[in-house]
Amino acid sequence: MEKIVILTGAGISAESGLGTFRDEEGLWAQHAIDDVATPDGFERNPLLVHGFYNARRAQAAKAKPNAAHKALARLEQEHRGEVLIITQNVDSLHEAGGSRNVIHMHGRLNGALCHACEHRWEAPLEMTPTDQCPACYETTTRPDVVWFGEIPYGMHAIDPALAAADLFAAIGTSGNVFPAAAYGQHARRLGAHTVELNLEPSAASRDFKELRHGPASEIVPEWVEELLRDQT
Ligand code: OAD
């Protein structure tokens, strides 16, 4: 299992106290996607959208990586081949847990973006609609997160990584949002062994050869332990 590609979603950060999206009390039960996670929503009401991401940024700033994030960092360090994490999460818990090779396909809460000149910088804890871009001084700044209707980041790197993967794992994602929801099927067709690690079967479970269900903080360290044991 030389090349390992791991897709992560909100479920891996749930035990760090960050809310998921589609659970009964998830973020999308409390906020309308159209209002807070689309370019149109931001145009209609930037104050509301900044408020939503400011609150998430403040919550994420207090969160600590859990045993699942740390186990993936250990895998990157101790596995003899490559380990790539593709995360849909906008928190920085993979990096805080020690992972280095991470693609944030839906952007980062800690990033700010000017949609006039595309300059990027570290976001302040609180963003407002009157913030100026430090490069062009326009007040066209937004959180550097990918909204519905926008193209995810890193696609040029993700496609070849899926094609080259010997092992593909999806952790803590409900399999509802594309393109990530198709990565299991894609990697399997291209020859990878596929494993889903999630609290419960996801909408994409049938695309995976191996299924492991339970809380990420338990099942991910167990899985990593097995992978590292098998390589010796
Ligand atoms: P979801 O909220 O859709 O799914 C979270 C998954 O994690 C569910 O299948 C849960 O069963 C599972 N889960 C919950 N707690 C868990 C735990 N302790 N251990 C393991 N699994 C657990 O979140 P995502 O699939 O990440 O995009 O959502 C994908 C995208 O939809 C997000 O990146 C976001 C959202 O809309 C944008 O905002 C563009």
Side-chain angles (χ1 to χ4, degrees):
M1 293 293 175
E2 210 177 304
K3 292 193 172 160
I4 303 179
V5 177
I6 300 164
L7 172 72
T8 64
I12 196 167
S13 297
E15 290 162 86
S16 294
L18 301 182
T20 60
F21 295 95
R22 292 175 182 76
D23 294 317
E24 234 167 74
E25 290 168 19
L27 283 169
W28 296 155
Q30 300 165 47
H31 305 269
I33 290 183
D34 277 355
D35 288 342
V36 297
T38 62
D40 284 353
F42 186 60
E43 208 167 304
R44 277 197 308 272
N45 193 343
L47 192 62
L48 176 85
V49 176
H50 276 307
F52 175 71
Y53 289 98
N54 287 343
R56 291 185 63 199
R57 195 177 296 113
Q59 198 192 21
K62 287 188 254 155
K64 301 264 183 299
N66 65 51
H69 299 103
K70 290 181 192 164
L72 295 187
R74 177 181 169 217
L75 183 64
E76 185 181 318
Q77 264 169 16
E78 297 182 20
H79 175 59
R80 288 204 201 99
E82 276 171 42
V83 176
L84 170 67
I85 295 176
I86 302 167
T87 188
Q88 299 167 90
N89 297 343
V90 291
D91 65 54
S92 300
L93 293 177
H94 284 304
E95 289 86 347
S99 290
R100 293 287 160 262
N101 200 14
V102 183
I103 295 177
H104 279 269
M105 66 179 295
H106 289 169
R108 295 165 51 243
L109 278 174
N110 288 340
L113 164 68
C114 172
H115 63 86
C117 74
E118 298 200 5
H119 181 64
R120 290 188 162 78
W121 65 101
E122 283 299 295
L125 207 49
E126 292 264 318
M127 291 186 75
T128 76
T130 52
D131 290 346
Q132 278 188 318
C133 167
C136 73
Y137 306 110
E138 295 290 333
T139 52
T140 42
T141 69
R142 54 170 279 185
D144 192 11
V145 298
V146 175
W147 287 323
F148 286 91
E150 298 182 321
I151 297 169
Y153 291 139
M155 303 302 284
H156 60 286
I158 293 173
D159 284 342
L162 293 175
D166 299 301
L167 169 61
F168 174 83
I171 304 177
T173 178
S174 65
N176 282 299
V177 174
F178 289 84
Y183 288 169
Q185 189 185 60
H186 198 57
R188 191 172 180 178
R189 281 194 184 146
L190 292 170
H193 175 68
T194 49
V195 48
E196 169 173 281
L197 298 105
N198 205 48
L199 194 58
E200 59 202 1
S202 78
S205 281
R206 68 186 172 283
D207 297 334
F208 293 82
K209 176 105 175 126
E210 186 184 342
L211 300 172
R212 293 175 174 232
H213 294 139
S217 67
E218 290 173 21
I219 61 175
V220 176
E222 275 165 24
W223 175 68
V224 165
E225 188 67 47
E226 282 174 35
L227 287 177
L228 292 174
R229 201 173 50 222
D230 288 351
Q231 80 172 355
T232 54

